[in-house]
Amino acid sequence: MSTPAREALDRHATPWLFATALATTAPHFMHQPPWLSTVAGALLLWAVWLWWKDHRLPGRWILIPLVGAGSAGILLEFHTLFGRDAGVAMLVMFMTMKLLELKSRRDAMVVVTLGYFLLLTHYLYSQSIPTGLWLLAAMWLVTATLIRLHGGPSSTTRDTLRYSGVLCLQAIPFMLVLFLLFPRISGPLWGLPADAFTGKTGLSDSMSPGSIAQLVQNADIAFRVRFDGPLPPRQKLYWRGPVMEQFDGTTWHLYKGRQPAAQLESLSPPIGYETTLEAHNQRWLLALDAPIALPAETLLNGTMTAISQNAINERKRLRLSASLDYRFNLSEDPQVLRRNLALPASGNPQTRALAAQWRAGNAPEAVIAKALALFNAEFTYTLQPPLLGLHGIDDFLFETKRGFCEHYAAAFVTLMRAAGIPARVVGGYQGGEFNPLDQYLVVRQSDAHAWAEVWLAGKGWVRVDPTAAVSPSRIETGIADALAFGEPLPMLIQLRADWIRTLRYRWEAINNAWNQSVLGYDPQRQRELLARLGLSDTDWRSLAIALGSTCGLLVAGLMAWALYKRPERDPVVRLWHKALRQLARRKVDCPPWETPLELARRVREQDPELAEPFQRVVDAYLVARYGNTDKHLKPLRDAIAQLR
Amino acid sequence: MGIVATLQQKLFRWHSDGTAPMRLGQRRVFIIPSRGGLLYALALIVMLIGAINYNLALGHALVFLLAGLGIVGMIHTFRNLHGLIVTPGRSAPVFAGETAHFQITLDNDRPTPRLGLELEAESGNPVFATVNRKKSSKLNIPVSAKTRGWLDLPRIRLSTRYPLGLFTAWAYLQPAMRCLVYPQPIAAPLPVASPTPVGGERSGDGGQEDFAGFRDRQPADSPRHVAWKASARNANGPLLIKQFAGGAQVELRLDWQLTDTALSDETRIGILTGWVLAADVADAHYGLRLPGVDIPTGSGERHRQLCLEALALCQP
């Protein structure tokens, strides 16, 4: 065998490799440090320039220091060479540097393999439909490069791209079968690097003025819900997240200690639903108040927040049910009540004074009513409240009177505590947008909300939403209606023209279908699908058999296609056979061994009427088949037409 | 023939089955992953582990698409050889020490081109070929001729890695072709010419006195003998040489017995070969006598071939 590794690369194959490198690294420029993108771009341009000028490639004494410097830069930037971001940065660096070392076909193979590998790394950042399509196109290009490398200079660009398309299309059935049947393992196989799930947004476990207002400007989807029955009324859609019990004067915090279990009494029939949570890197689920049936590995803590065993760091589909009318912790632990009455030792004197004034001689219900009436009378709902000073609650209640849900919840709870009513802040989402196309309720970050909860003897914890007192439309129709025109909301939420909304619904329904059926295809879905195919109780053996036999069938089909020799169909012969069929219809039998002239002679004897037109067919046939001219089919076709 | 060779013969049917244009069928084409294919497979395994670890549904899809591409690539590599028609051609005689070229024609009756074909009879000396759609290509397979006599075409390895380079498909071809290898000439002074028999039937042929006509110029003819006027009349034809009749003609007898008996047989044959070439260049009349062979005197290309052939096949 020769030594193929040393086969030199032909000059005109190199641009293909540049294109491969560019297509597979370019999307990474969006989430890489700028210096790295600049260096990678410069290396690529250098390689192109060297190729253009037909200069010698740099020697090892340049490349080795370059690799060292690049790795050192990445180490300084990310403090590691492994993990998601640093690993991707290393791959991009190697890819562009390999372009300076393209000597043999083996180097080119390394570039192509790296290219395929880099395609995968894009999915670490996004698995959306556009990413999928872009990568399909990139794969087409990389495969074309591979074909160009092995076909040599005689493969033209168009043919190469077409052939690459054929190969990729033929690979798709294999992909579908493997995707459906390949045994799915629910990862991770080992501890993921710390940066695996960065960049996820959502509620945090504390609340200070402005934190939710910031979240509201994000149109990302927080979760999607499909109800088993009809959609409950919008003002009942409170999605409960973290409950914040501790207040330090400006920020509300989660209580981290032990909590006694929640006692929940359901007063209405349960509503079943399936929720698809986007990753938010926290342990709480966002369950509809009040959650009564929870999925496995999830429990309800003392503040009625559903807590999962592990942080939700990937999209998760869960089945839950809720009761919209409930009684929660009728008898509460005195320690918990004390905690929910605590206020900082000093601060907000005006608020305390007002609360003390209300408290005198009034039942808790009356105090609550007074507070809500105050909000209703004088306050404005806005995303851009003025800044608050040292005594934040005082400033808000008596000076600015403009604020957002977090201000109302915080002020209300402070007032209640000062008035001796146990109260706390509940974070979560309110409402959602119903997509009539796929019947999913979409809840976005912009639906983030905060409300209050008070404990009343004989009633337990009761939800009070002070924002509803200021701006009922926030609860009834949603954030976009509640805010005055000109407030900084995401474009997506503001555009309310019907056709845009329909378009958005359609796009989101497609995305949702993609998420549910493609991205959400997990071991459980696989089991369900196989059960539907009659392969219930699947173990790896039956999966392997199903997989092997289907792939075998595909290979056999493809082999048959590839090796089938299409019979030669000379159009002249085909026309001649057509003429013979015409004769057969006129009861002249024509054995295949008879020559045309012989046949014409016999026709003359057998059917004189037919002799004349048939002779013309024979003449035209002989000219077309054996004549020294270019194939003239028209006379033959005309002659046959007259035979009829 | 060793056991292994016999087994290979039985299993792989290397030899031509007698039909001259040979079509490569399923049983003649073999396929294994190439080094690039192993690298690709390794990359796929690492990618699959990554996709599982980060729980990437599209990562799974990409790995499966690439795995499918590998399978499809295998079938297409096989297809690149399958159904190729191989027709043996001619091969011109060469001297020992030179390279013989065996002509092979590859026919492609498929409407797609076959690219990246590699034919190799001797390791390290491949010939690259492409056959366009519905076309044929003529190739010369080089084989170094080491010893005189018949040189059988060794087994040719026809291989390809097109389109993706992930697999190597190959077939062994051994059409019944052989090339005559003349002995390697050894330069030595020509033996003394014997006088021409006077009055014999052959006397007067090729003399220098009476003009007897024209003949085509051979490369060995001196430019001084070219009949320029006659040649100019026929501008597109070969140069012409005036031929004369009558007079004395040197006549050589190149005899096995004239070479030094102390030398080895091969050396003696080499010397005789050198003489034949020298006599031909000198445009002499010469005859050749070898053990068991006696070629009467003559001259010209055909005569030279006859003598060299006898020398190539001589069994002293």
Side-chain angles (χ1 to χ4, degrees), chain A residues 378-568:
Chain A
E378 297 174 40
F379 284 72
T380 312
Y381 184 70
T382 174
L383 268 177
Q384 294 165 300
L387 282 176
L388 302 175
L390 181 63
H391 302 293
I393 309 275
D394 274 6
D395 288 355
F396 171 65
L397 280 178
F398 302 104
E399 303 276 332
T400 66
K401 306 194 175 185
R402 294 165 62 80
F404 192 57
C405 62
E406 60 221 29
H407 298 98
Y408 296 102
F412 180 80
V413 171
T414 311
L415 273 170
M416 291 304 115
R417 287 188 177 187
I421 304 168
R424 56 197 182 188
V425 174
V426 184
Y429 295 83
Q430 207 285 320
E433 188 180 26
F434 186 67
N435 186 338
L437 293 176
D438 62 356
Q439 308 285 313
Y440 271 84
L441 181 82
V442 177
V443 181
R444 298 169 187 284
Q445 300 299 355
S446 57
D447 293 313
H449 190 51
W451 60 91
E453 202 169 48
V454 293
W455 189 83
L456 302 170
K459 289 189 179 170
W461 286 101
V462 176
R463 179 172 61 224
V464 181
D465 189 348
T467 310
V470 183
S471 168
S473 57
R474 164 68 185 90
I475 310 304
E476 274 150 28
T477 55
I479 180 94
D481 283 335
L483 288 170
F485 185 78
E487 294 265 357
L489 269 182
M491 277 306 276
L492 196 63
I493 314 283
Q494 278 189 15
L495 294 173
R496 297 171 67 77
D498 273 350
W499 66 272
I500 292 179
R501 197 190 306 217
T502 314
L503 218 62
R504 182 156 59 86
Y505 282 154
R506 183 151 299 145
W507 172 239
E508 278 169 6
I510 292 170
N511 258 318
N512 187 31
W514 172 257
N515 289 343
Q516 300 288 342
S517 52
V518 178
L519 303 186
Y521 189 76
D522 53 10
Q524 187 199 335
R525 284 261 161 138
Q526 188 174 42
R527 267 195 301 279
E528 286 167 17
L529 177 91
L530 291 171
R532 223 176 302 153
L533 292 176
L535 277 170
S536 52
D537 191 27
T538 47
D539 55 353
W540 64 269
R541 215 172 295 130
S542 51
L543 262 185
I545 291 170
L547 193 61
S549 52
T550 327
C551 281
L553 272 177
L554 282 178
V555 169
L558 199 56
M559 273 303 251
W561 170 84
L563 306 185
Y564 172 67
K565 190 166 176 318
R566 289 150 198 81
E568 287 293 324

Side-chain angles (χ1 to χ4, degrees), chain A residues 303-428:
Chain A
T303 57
M304 212 167 71
T305 306
I307 298 286
S308 161
Q309 218 163 50
N310 300 307
I312 313 286
N313 47 30
E314 58 188 11
R315 185 178 293 116
K316 246 199 164 79
R317 194 172 20 231
L318 300 162
R319 271 217 70 82
L320 295 142
S321 68
S323 172
L324 296 179
D325 199 3
Y326 57 94
R327 231 178 262 148
F328 165 37
N329 275 11
L330 269 180
S331 56
E332 183 60 284
D333 186 344
Q335 219 183 328
V336 174
L337 293 181
R338 252 198 316 281
R339 189 160 64 230
N340 285 293
L341 281 168
L343 281 173
S346 63
N348 299 316
Q350 281 178 287
T351 309
R352 286 170 201 255
L354 180 68
Q357 185 198 329
W358 283 348
R359 185 182 186 175
N362 276 318
E365 281 89 347
V367 176
I368 295 169
K370 274 182 189 293
L372 293 181
L374 173 71
F375 288 143
N376 191 9
E378 297 174 40
F379 284 72
T380 312
Y381 184 70
T382 174
L383 268 177
Q384 294 165 300
L387 282 176
L388 302 175
L390 181 63
H391 302 293
I393 309 275
D394 274 6
D395 288 355
F396 171 65
L397 280 178
F398 302 104
E399 303 276 332
T400 66
K401 306 194 175 185
R402 294 165 62 80
F404 192 57
C405 62
E406 60 221 29
H407 298 98
Y408 296 102
F412 180 80
V413 171
T414 311
L415 273 170
M416 291 304 115
R417 287 188 177 187
I421 304 168
R424 56 197 182 188
V425 174
V426 184

Side-chain angles (χ1 to χ4, degrees), chain A residues 127 163 170 189 314 562, chain B residues 53 55 58 76 79 109 134:
Chain A
Q127 297 198 75
Y163 199 19
Q170 288 180 347
L189 299 175
E314 58 188 11
Chain B
N53 206 36
N55 206 357
L58 284 191
H76 280 258
R79 181 175 190 252
D109 59 357
K134 302 250 179 199

Side-chain angles (χ1 to χ4, degrees), chain B residues 88-155:
Chain B
R90 323 187 131 271
S91 60
V94 291
F95 289 97
E98 294 181 349
T99 303
H101 287 96
F102 290 90
Q103 195 185 67
I104 294 246
T105 307
L106 297 178
D107 276 291
N108 176 16
D109 59 357
R110 206 180 274 150
T112 48
R114 299 174 191 256
L115 308 179
L117 302 174
E118 196 178 321
L119 290 100
E120 197 177 53
E122 280 178 332
S123 65
N125 204 0
V127 175
F128 299 98
T130 59
V131 195
N132 284 334
R133 59 196 76 177
K134 302 250 179 199
K135 288 274 159 37
S136 64
S137 297
K138 276 192 171 50
L139 307 163
N140 287 311
I141 314 290
V143 178
S144 53
K146 292 196 182 71
T147 51
R148 68 186 178 87
W150 287 111
L151 171 64
D152 283 320
L153 173 60
R155 196 180 74 196

Side-chain angles (χ1 to χ4, degrees), chain A residues 1-2 4-5 7 83-84 105-106 109-110 113 116-117 119-120 123-124 126-128 132 136 139 143 146-147 150-151 154-155 159 163 166-168 170-172 174-175 178-179 182 184-193 195-196 314 514 518-520 555 558-559 561-563 565-566 568, chain B residues 23 26 34-37 39-40 43 46-79 82 109-113 115-116 118 120 123-126 128 130 132-134 157 161-166 168:
Chain A
M1 221 171 111
S2 63
E7 267 171 48
R84 186 184 71 168
R105 195 151 80 183
R106 188 166 60 178
M109 275 306 270
V110 171
T113 313
Y116 281 133
F117 203 105
L119 291 185
L120 180 82
Y123 293 131
L124 291 169
S126 161
Q127 297 198 75
S128 65
L136 210 58
M139 184 183 153
T143 308
L146 207 50
I147 293 174
H150 293 94
S154 40
S155 47
D159 284 350
Y163 199 19
V166 168
L167 291 176
C168 288
Q170 288 180 347
I172 284 176
F174 289 95
M175 178 192 75
L178 283 165
F179 191 82
F182 190 85
R184 282 310 178 88
I185 302 160
S186 46
L189 299 175
W190 62 84
L192 288 172
D195 61 357
E314 58 188 11
W514 172 257
V518 178
L519 303 186
V555 169
L558 199 56
M559 273 303 251
W561 170 84
L563 306 185
K565 190 166 176 318
R566 289 150 198 81
E568 287 293 324
Chain B
R23 184 183 276 272
Q26 271 97 319
S34 66
R35 227 179 301 179
L39 178 71
Y40 183 82
V46 176
M47 284 165 79
L48 181 64
I49 292 171
I52 291 173
N53 206 36
Y54 284 88
N55 206 357
L56 303 174
L58 284 191
H60 278 88
L62 178 69
V63 172
F64 296 151
L65 186 61
L66 288 176
L69 188 68
I71 297 172
V72 171
M74 176 180 77
I75 293 169
H76 280 258
T77 306
F78 187 84
R79 181 175 190 252
H82 182 264
D109 59 357
R110 206 180 274 150
T112 48
L115 308 179
E118 196 178 321
E120 197 177 53
S123 65
N125 204 0
F128 299 98
T130 59
N132 284 334
R133 59 196 76 177
K134 302 250 179 199
R157 186 175 188 273
R161 269 176 286 158
Y162 183 76
L164 296 184
L166 307 179
T168 306

